[in-house]
Amino acid sequence: QLQLQESGPGLVKPSETLSLTCTVSGGSISRPNYYWGWIRQPPGKGLEWIGSMYHSGSTYYSPSLKSRVTMSVDTSKSQFSLKLSSVTAADTAVYYCARTYSGFEDFGYWGQGTLVTVSS
Amino acid sequence: QSVLTQPPSASGTPGQRVTISCSGSSYNVVSNTVNWYQQLPGTAPKLLIYNDNQRPSGVPDRFSGSKSGTSASLAISGLQSEDEADYYCAAWDDSLNGAVFGGGTQLTVL
């Protein structure tokens, strides 16, 4: 059973960089044809796609966040990571990591999510 | 304002059939596949429908997806109390070159 678990600070100061890691277990992060992604959800609001990546390192970012987002993968640790720079209160959200089920953006496996609050 | 437009709320009684719409454009719904997610309170979203009308293993056949032109729909038949949740449609948008979600529909089972 594939499992994903987000980890990282729950509180980040404005203008700093948010850093999260997703640890994958129960399956290989290098398995072909699947993509790994980050999705966020501000409190009481809807879902927003942040970006996706392939185990080879190819990345695809949301146009609205592209200038601030970096995603990377460490296959030796079965982890992939998200960095979001210059955060503001608007970046306060539950951040989910996920893997696709069949295609490029059909996320069929999700972590439980982690709340990141941006506040001084 | 979401690129994909969903009604903010929907409701039905147990046993009823309910449909939730997702209105998009030629850049997303028409040219790419639509996925649907169910999010129960306090939990991560769950993939309900992918590739417009395919159900992942384990999803009951009470849930079905369809698409016509610039709109997609999620139908839930034999409505149950445990179906009370938020539902989101999603698709790739060729204009934005990114994945987009609808604003979500809160389903209430009366």
Side-chain angles (χ1 to χ4, degrees), chain A residues 39 46-49 105-106 110, chain B residues 2-7 20-25 28-29 33-39 45-50 52 65-67 70-74 86-92 99-106:
Chain A
I39 300 98
L47 301 167
E48 179 183 19
W49 175 74
E105 81 284 4
D106 54 356
W110 295 68
Chain B
S2 301
V3 172
L4 302 178
T5 302
Q6 298 180 235
I20 297 172
S21 63
C22 174
S23 178
S25 72
N28 39 66
V29 172
T33 59
V34 176
N35 307 308
W36 289 91
Y37 298 88
Q38 175 194 60
Q39 187 176 32
K46 171 188 174 183
L47 182 66
L48 270 187
I49 298 289
Y50 69 100
D52 298 336
S66 63
K67 191 170 78 174
T70 59
S71 289
S73 293
L74 172 71
D86 293 328
Y87 293 84
Y88 295 89
C89 62
W92 185 263
V100 291
F101 286 90
T105 298
Q106 184 175 52

Side-chain angles (χ1 to χ4, degrees), chain A residues 49-99:
Chain A
W49 175 74
I50 299 171
S52 297
M53 69 181 304
Y54 198 57
H55 64 81
S56 63
S58 300
T59 54
Y60 310 84
Y61 299 144
S62 166
S64 64
L65 298 170
K66 189 173 185 176
S67 63
R68 299 194 290 132
V69 171
T70 303
M71 293 177 61
S72 60
V73 61
D74 187 335
T75 55
S76 67
K77 295 182 178 179
S78 285
Q79 294 178 334
F80 63 104
S81 300
L82 168 71
K83 290 187 186 298
L84 181 65
S85 64
S86 305
V87 297
T88 69
D91 295 309
T92 293
V94 174
Y95 286 75
Y96 296 99
C97 62
R99 197 207 80 176

Side-chain angles (χ1 to χ4, degrees), chain B residues 82-103:
Chain B
E82 54 260 42
D83 298 332
E84 192 161 282
D86 293 328
Y87 293 84
Y88 295 89
C89 62
W92 185 263
D93 188 285
D94 293 330
S95 172
L96 297 173
N97 200 29
V100 291
F101 286 90

Side-chain angles (χ1 to χ4, degrees), chain A residues 6-23:
Chain A
E6 305 89 350
S7 60
L11 181 64
V12 180
K13 289 182 168 56
S15 80
E16 295 189 344
T17 296
L18 177 160
S19 296
L20 295 174
T21 296
C22 183
T23 301

